[in-house]
Structure formats: C-alpha cells, structure tokens
Amino acid sequence: MLRGQMMDRPLMISGLLTHAGTNHGSREIVSRLPETGAIHRYGWKDCLTRSQRLANVLEGPLKVHEGDRISTIAWNTHRHLELYYAISGAGAVIHTVNPRLDPKQIAWMLDHAKARHVFFDTTFAPLVDAIAKACKTVKNFIVMTDEAHAPQMSNVKPLIYEDLLAKASPDYDWPEFDENAAAGLCYTSGTTGDPKGALYSHRSTVLHALMACSMDTIGVGSRGVIMPVVPMFHVNAWGVPYAAAVAGSKLVMPGAQLDGKSLQELIEGEAVTHVLGVPTVWLGLLQYLRESGKRIDSVENVLMGGSAMPEALLRAYEGEYGVDMQQGWGMTEMSPLGTVGKLLPKHEGLSADEKIAIKLKQGRLVWGVEMRAVDDGGNVLPRDGKSSGHIQVRGPWIISSYFRGAGEEAFTDDGWFRTGDVGHLDEDGYMTITDRSKDVIKTGGEWISSIDLENAAMGHPDVAMAAAVGMPHPKWQERPLLVVQPKPNTSPTPDSIRAYLAERVPKWWLPDAVEFIEQMPLGATGKILKTRLREVYAGYAFETE
Ligand code: AMP
C-alpha cells in the first residue's frame, strides 16, 4: 500500500470547542436559567474559558480520571454545555440522564454506569434527594447554580457549581488521546426491559457533528441561530451542541421552560432560524401560536423527529407559518441521525401535496449511514419504495455493542445493527418507517402500519393525539384499537372518527373500536407509551358478530 502523507491528528471533542472559542468567540450562547427563568448570555470564548475552569475542577478537587463516568441530570443550558465539553475533553465520559424516567430506573442507571459524580439542575433537587441513598458509586452531587440559589436538601449536601468554577484556574491544556476513547454515554429509554447504554467515542461524535452541519442535514452555519428544544439528555440533543461549535452558530438553550409561550418568546427574541424537537413540543407551540396570534417568522427550518411527523402538524407549520419542515429519523444507538427529509432538485416541479407526501417519509439517508431492509429470512429487499422489512444500519456513529454487554441479539453476524424498525427504502435513499417491529398490527396475515393509521386519525379536527394498538382477535389474530385523546372542549364519537378514516385508509385498516382517553401516556422522551396502553387495555374484547 502506498500510504497517504497526511497528518494523523485525532478527532477530539475538545477541538470543536477550541475552534468555536477561538474563531467564533463573540457568537452568543443564550440560555434560560432553570433556577430563575432569567436569560443568561455569553460567547463561545467564555464557554471555552469556563469549560477550562471546569476541566480543572474535574481533575483537581473532584479527582476525575480517564474513562470515569460523570452523570448529568440537567436541562439545555450553557452549564450543561460546559459539562459536555469539559468532561469528554478531560478524557472522562459524560453520562446524560433522562430525568423523566422513573426514579428507580435512574438509580439503576447511575449504578450500572458506575457514576462517580452527578451534576444536577436545581429543578431536580427533589429527585436527587430521593435517589441519593441508592447511588452507592457516587462520590459527589454538584448542583448547577450559585450559592444564592442552592436548594435545601435532606439527604445530600451538594457542592455548588459556580463556587467550584470561581476557585479554579481558567488555564488548561486539553489532552490529546486516542480518538476512539469513550466520550459520552446515553441509555435507551427502556420501554421494554432494562435500558441499554450507547457509548459514544470522540471520533464518532466529531464525525456525526460534521455530518449534522451539512446543508442537507441540519444545514446551520455561522449566521444561523439554532435552538435545540430536544433535550441534551435525549441523545445529545441530536448532536446540536457539537454541530453548533463546528459551525460557530448562535446557540439558544431553552432550559426548563418548554411550553409554547416560552418557546415563542425565545424564538422571536433571539431571532432563531433553526429549531429541533419531537412532535409533542410542536403541538404545544402550535396551540399557543393559534391562541395568541403570535408568529415565529425568523424560523427557516424545523427538524422534527423521535416519532413520526403528523401530517396535520406539517401542513399547519408550512401553510400558516411559512416554516420549512423536515423530518428526521434516528436512534440513541445511532448518535442519533440516520435520515433527514430534505427535498431534491427533481422535486421542485411537484405540487404542494406531492411535496408533503415526500416530507412525510422519515427522510433521506445522510452520508455515513448505510441502510438495508431485510425480510424475516434475512434477504435484502429491493429499494423500490414499497418492499417493507426490518431496517438494519451500519456506520461510524452507530454502536457496535452495548455498554457492559447486553443486547447482543441486536447485531447481525455480518456487522449490521438491527434497529427494530420496519420500513422500506426507495432508490433516492428516502426511508419510510411503517412501524416498530413490536407495534405492527398483524391481522389475517397482513400488516397494518400503526403509524399510518395514527397519522390519518390525527388529521381529524377533534383529535389531539391518537395511538393504534393491535389487540388479540379470535378470528383475525389482531385487530386495531384506536385510542384517542380529544382536543380540549371537543367530544368526537367513534363513528365520526371511523367515517373520517374510511376516506383515508384501506377499509380493512379501520379500527374495530375507538376508545377515548383524557391524557395519553407519554414516555420519557415524549413518545406515546404503547406498552402502557397495552397494559390499560389488556384483555380488551372487541364486539364480534
Ligand atoms: P430513541 O432512541 O429514543 O431516539 O428512539 C428511537 C426510535 O424512535 C426509532 O427506532 C424509531 O422507532 C422512533 N423514531 C425516531 N424518529 C422517528 C420518525 N421520524 N418517525 C417514526 N419513528 C421515529
């Protein structure tokens, strides 16, 4: 082999921050502080200096060593950003905890991760108090605020973030080491069984960040103002904290206030151009915009993912607010981005409805992710936009195994990761998810896509949320039950919903029953908890003739 004669410089996460701090130093990072709701602002240069102070805190008083897991239970703020960079940059591993999980599960996770220290926002003081005694590996709890706002706690005497930083030196030389070293740890939401850990490396994180910046993915640059509404505890806020540093963009962090009013204020006040989040967030914002008559005119681009983008939401934002909506698909195990739904030049002449049909697909493969759909026998299916199968992926930011074992069945013998999603690909690389493997409704030998059925139902004017679950049926094996959360002050009937659906889905997809629920159960990442619905409706008996 004739070797290339290029420098072998490691891809380090700290390099992203030093780039932003040195070359985009005055570009702002704006955060809504969880402890007061006040706005905090500083530049990437300040973020770099404070992250250096924090790295000194980690290596000094906190005695953090290479590879140690340091956990955070925190919102999107500048302090959480500093932790992202300082922990990984110093050679340790940042473990982001989803505070919406059950406290017992959180304690289990901290134990499984062998967390050495836990940083938390004041909002989560009661949670930390409740689990502290069960966290045997944790040496220190550090509250992410200053002396004046430190909470009174019963079982923990927390160290105070701002005190520690104030005493530390701002000078720090970021170490260089193997780019394959672990940098971040995020557990899957664990709706079935124990959560499993995805352990990201410096290399995977940097490569993912570069890809995320590209025009057809998030497409943010130094002029952009990006606001991740998706939390930093949900797969690294989809990589935005890293991508924003590569781009040198202004970063807006919404803290603990994710309601429509607070988000609209931030978007308007900070002239946000790019926003990312799960559909439930967009539903809340839309409701507020419609009630208040307020606008979000600075927004150019929205990336919605985590679950399927409802058509009604897409039409509302594009039609009423002039926002370009993109759907993305990915997973904790994929860092997370796998597909993003930008349109291609050849789509320019299409009608508005045809464009919407393309945007309702889960998106188009990003560079770096390879994908195939296979049938039950493992045969690769054609990319014809209709042959549905099990979606498998591989690439440099996709896990090759889970942290501390477990889940080996997720990997094929030839090196692909089984996503657990069912869907199809077309010749341009657009992927359509028809279901989670476990959510497909199997009826009389055919498959009904619960996602398509739900999306159709969500178009009904009185439906706020809808979930389709397969319930055992004596004749058909399974039939769909549609669970509906009506919009406030409406009372739709099962017949009106079935009549609405009858014009939009094949007749044999029509739900055998429609049940109404006041509040849809949502999981820790804002997705409908179908496992919970299956428990609630266990033993459901359809009326059969
Ligand atoms: P998580 O690891 O919590 O981000 O969950 C990943 C799973 O969320 C995927 O395997 C999909 O089942 C689902 N998901 C993510 N994005 C989408 C999307 N755009 N449409 C449908 N399902 C999605």
Side-chain angles (χ1 to χ4, degrees), residues 187-190 234-235 238 304-309 327-334 336 339 360-363 419-422 433 435-436 438-439 451 525 527:
Y187 283 78
T188 58
S189 25
H234 185 195
V235 215
W238 299 350
M304 190 188 288
S307 46
M309 173 157 71
Q327 174 158 202
W329 167 91
M331 305 180 75
T332 305
E333 291 90 335
M334 298 176 63
T339 64
L360 287 174
K361 296 171 192 259
Q362 267 56 38
T419 65
D421 285 330
V422 173
I433 294 268
D435 240 316
R436 284 296 288 167
K438 57 187 187 310
D439 292 338
I451 294 184
T525 48
K527 299 180 201 189

